[in-house]
Amino acid sequence: MKKILLLALLALSIPAFAAKPKAIVVFLADDLGYGDTAAYGQSLVPTPNLNRLCNEGCRFTDCHSATPVCTPSRYSMMTGRYPHRLPNNNILDGDAKLIIPVEGSGEENVTLPVLMKRAGYKTAAIGKWHLGLGDGKGPIDWNGEIKPSPKEVGFDRSFVMAATADRVPCVYIEDGRVANLDPADPIEISYDRKANPKWEGEITARTNPEMLKDWGRPSDYQHDKTIIDGISRIGHMRGGKAALWKDQDLADTITDKAIDFIKDAKGEPIFLYFATNDIHVPRDPHARFRGVSALGIRGDATVQMDDCLGRVRAALAENGYDDTLFIFTSDNGPRVSDGYEDGARDAWKGVNPAAPWAGGKYSVLEGGTRIPMVACWPGHIQPNTVSHALLSHTDYARSLAAIAGVEVPQGACRDSQELSYVILGQNENGRVSLPEESAWGPWGYRKGNWKFIEGANYGKGVEGPYLFDLTTDPTERENLAERYPEKVKEIQAEIRALRRK
Ligand code: NG6
Ligand code: CA
């Protein structure tokens, strides 16, 4: 009897999907804002492949990354934990240690890739990583085996950039080793922010500005270090010449790798985590995309991203993966100018990449974390639909585990909500509330269509707390905190409880 009850309970807790998809793909764009594409109202940037995905799937209007910057957002998607569970969870440099648990480090530490592996998928991480490498006990061995790397986290295959394209090292790391490295030309990395140059003979934007592409100059002291491929970076790098990437080929290179993974899988179940560099800085799209949008290089980079999307989807179709749950989304809100004078500021004058929301990357306003998301699974997700459900990337771990039919162990993915039916567009019963966390400033918090921002000044010149009604005030202008003190108290208590947990 007990056993039957247990089975019944189990059946209730794991939704019974008739069959799991043959492939699950998370396509994660970088810094792509809510209002950056035609799918979300920006008609000056042609993104036909994203449009097609919308026509074939469900478009979400209230999905959020866990924070308005990259690393903690990705941490949350991978672990199913809120960013604040890890102290000082913030943007990492290229030489930072791994911040997500390795496979086998305890059932409570199980991550999204490990769950996918357990569900029988071959897993791959391709593109931007930005979750750290190595165990931090010593410096990363760029010239030997880099361990732990995505491999130890549950990715059978990986081909990644360590951090951002504006940070050294500017090389790809393939299955734990720098790809194309000449052992006679070892790599050395330093994040000494004061020294410029760091080494004698180092070519930086300060020592040799004439070596920069006429594409753009660094706009702050962080981005004016080693020049690689005509672009100055954050941090210093020497050696590894044969392994250096070419920025204009970045999108094609990672897309080719993703396609190789799809082909090599030969119809076996796959989980692909594909993270583009686009449309993060430095934006140096391939020549074939220059000038294709009416919104400068930032618009062009978006078209390039869309091309990657089209190519990955075509490869899936060509290799027998019609039965794919494909999720498109972005790691945080938009930023027009973020370190280089690449012309984006002028091209985007008066145009809001987070429209209709205010704020963007780094910001606690809605535009910081409210990002595009489209999900498609032929035969399971109704084509050409829209969902207004409140949803977080933090929920992917539990929801995808449910879709893949694998159990999440006790204590694991603790902040992830099982919203598989929401992702599949079958209902709009998403989250009731959602923290919009920040590692350096006040948090935002959503409760239905209420938007709360903790006290402290976030650029409005008024002391908080703030309470906005997004239904009537999408750009968060009219502070209703004094008018609704009970609502403020209720939300403050929820935030306190969350931080204590
Ligand atoms: C910031 C960089 C910014 C960008 C960001 C990471 C400065 C002044 N700004 O520190 O250019 O690289 O880090 O972006 O250096 S993210 O999308 O990966 O979070
Ligand atoms: Ca980002």
Side-chain angles (χ1 to χ4, degrees):
M1 183 63 197
K2 244 184 175 168
K3 214 170 177 185
I4 295 174
L5 206 73
L6 214 87
L7 281 173
L9 273 174
L10 211 71
L12 276 178
S13 60
I14 308 174
F17 291 98
K20 58 188 179 197
K22 201 167 188 186
I24 299 180
V25 180
V26 175
F27 186 108
L28 186 64
D30 198 354
D31 292 7
L32 185 79
Y34 191 91
D36 259 324
T37 56
Y40 286 81
Q42 180 46 268
S43 56
L44 296 175
V45 183
T47 47
N49 294 301
L50 185 57
N51 288 352
R52 219 189 100 203
L53 194 70
C54 291
N55 289 337
E56 295 172 8
C58 181
R59 186 172 68 87
F60 291 79
T61 64
D62 208 357
C63 176
H64 291 251
S65 60
T67 66
V69 292
C70 173
T71 299
S73 288
R74 289 164 197 243
Y75 163 90
S76 200
M77 187 192 282
M78 289 289 169
T79 61
R81 295 175 184 167
Y82 290 136
H84 77 275
R85 304 293 184 202
L86 178 76
N88 307 316
N89 196 346
N90 209 336
I91 301 167
L92 294 179
D93 279 335
D95 62 351
K97 71 166 185 189
L98 180 75
I99 59 162
I100 61 175
V102 294
E103 194 176 4
S105 61
E107 283 301 275
E108 74 285 4
N109 285 330
V110 159
T111 57
L112 175 61
V114 170
L115 288 167
M116 294 297 103
K117 232 173 133 170
R118 288 186 183 179
Y121 292 95
K122 271 199 167 65
T123 56
I126 293 171
K128 177 174 171 180
W129 182 241
H130 214 185
L131 289 164
L133 295 163
D135 59 10
K137 288 184 185 145
I140 296 169
D141 182 6
W142 300 107
N143 306 296
E145 196 184 4
I146 298 166
K147 203 173 167 183
S149 80
K151 206 201 278 186
E152 283 68 36
V153 167
F155 287 107
D156 300 316
R157 290 271 300 268
S158 59
F159 185 86
V160 296
M161 308 154 63
T164 50
D166 57 352
R167 283 175 174 75
V168 297
C170 300
V171 295
Y172 301 109
I173 297 145
E174 185 158 30
D175 301 327
R177 281 177 188 276
V178 171
N180 303 320
L181 181 70
D182 172 1
D185 183 25
I187 293 173
E188 203 177 329
I189 297 297
S190 160
Y191 270 87
D192 183 341
R193 277 169 161 83
K194 288 193 188 126
N196 190 346
K198 167 83 182 161
W199 303 295
E200 209 188 311
E202 184 189 10
I203 290 173
T204 76
R206 288 233 202 126
T207 64
N208 297 69
E210 78 287 351
M211 300 278 283
L212 293 168
K213 291 184 185 180
D214 55 11
W215 156 89
R217 291 172 182 279
S219 58
D220 57 57
Y221 88 100
Q222 296 246 72
H223 289 84
D224 66 0
K225 309 294 187 310
T226 311
I227 295 178
I228 292 164
D229 195 22
I231 298 171
S232 54
R233 318 278 167 164
I234 304 176
H236 310 269
M237 172 174 183
R238 62 178 168 185
K241 268 217 165 63
L244 296 175
W245 69 51
K246 287 245 170 296
D247 290 77
Q248 294 199 357
D249 295 335
L250 228 160
D252 284 330
T253 305
I254 59 172
T255 306
D256 289 346
K257 282 287 169 184
I259 294 172
D260 284 350
F261 170 67
I262 293 165
K263 276 190 189 150
D264 291 351
K266 297 199 167 50
E268 291 294 308
I270 52 171
F271 170 70
L272 170 62
Y273 170 74
F274 183 79
T276 67
N277 167 58
D278 293 315
I279 60 171
H280 198 280
V281 296
R283 305 177 190 113
D284 195 16
H286 190 270
R288 71 184 191 277
F289 297 109
R290 291 299 292 271
V292 293
S293 83
L295 285 173
I297 206 156
R298 189 171 176 280
D300 298 349
T302 308
V303 180
Q304 174 168 271
M305 175 218 70
D306 185 72
D307 178 72
C308 299
L309 171 64
R311 289 186 58 210
V312 170
R313 288 198 74 209
L316 288 163
E318 281 159 22
N319 288 279
Y321 290 99
D322 288 327
D323 183 22
T324 295
L325 167 60
F326 198 102
I327 298 177
F328 172 92
T329 190
S330 170
D331 71 335
N332 53 251
R335 180 88 173 172
V336 168
S337 191
D338 204 14
Y340 300 95
E341 299 297 347
D342 62 2
R345 213 190 315 259
D346 285 342
W348 283 77
K349 209 171 228 151
V351 189
N352 176 10
W357 316 111
K361 185 176 180 180
Y362 311 117
S363 160
V364 74
L365 297 171
E366 279 299 276
T369 60
R370 195 156 171 159
I371 35 73
M373 168 178 169
V374 183
C376 176
W377 184 15
H380 297 262
I381 299 180
Q382 280 291 316
N384 206 8
T385 48
V386 176
S387 169
H388 303 297
L390 183 61
L391 186 66
S392 165
H393 285 167
T394 315
D395 306 327
Y396 283 11
R398 236 169 230 287
S399 307
L400 294 182
I403 291 168
V406 65
E407 208 179 328
V408 178
Q410 190 88 33
C413 309
R414 57 191 286 204
D415 302 308
S416 186
Q417 298 187 9
E418 203 285 81
L419 297 173
S420 50
Y421 287 107
V422 175
I423 290 185
L424 300 183
Q426 290 170 13
N427 68 52
E428 293 197 6
N429 305 328
R431 281 172 164 259
V432 173
S433 61
L434 168 104
E436 299 179 6
E437 295 190 7
S438 160
W440 62 87
W443 286 13
Y445 195 88
R446 282 281 305 282
K447 185 104 199 235
N449 247 357
W450 290 109
K451 168 68 179 277
F452 175 81
I453 298 174
E454 293 182 298
N457 147 34
Y458 72 104
K460 291 248 159 188
V462 200
E463 264 305 295
Y466 308 87
L467 185 71
F468 304 104
D469 180 358
L470 295 176
T471 318
T472 51
D473 182 20
T475 52
E476 298 165 67
R477 285 166 195 276
E478 196 192 346
N479 188 2
L480 304 175
E482 275 180 25
R483 212 183 300 166
Y484 298 97
E486 290 310 313
K487 194 43 78 184
V488 168
K489 269 196 211 137
E490 173 193 321
I491 294 178
Q492 281 172 329
E494 285 184 26
I495 295 181
R496 266 200 306 275
L498 197 61
R499 282 201 169 114
R500 253 200 319 265
K501 248 208 309 183

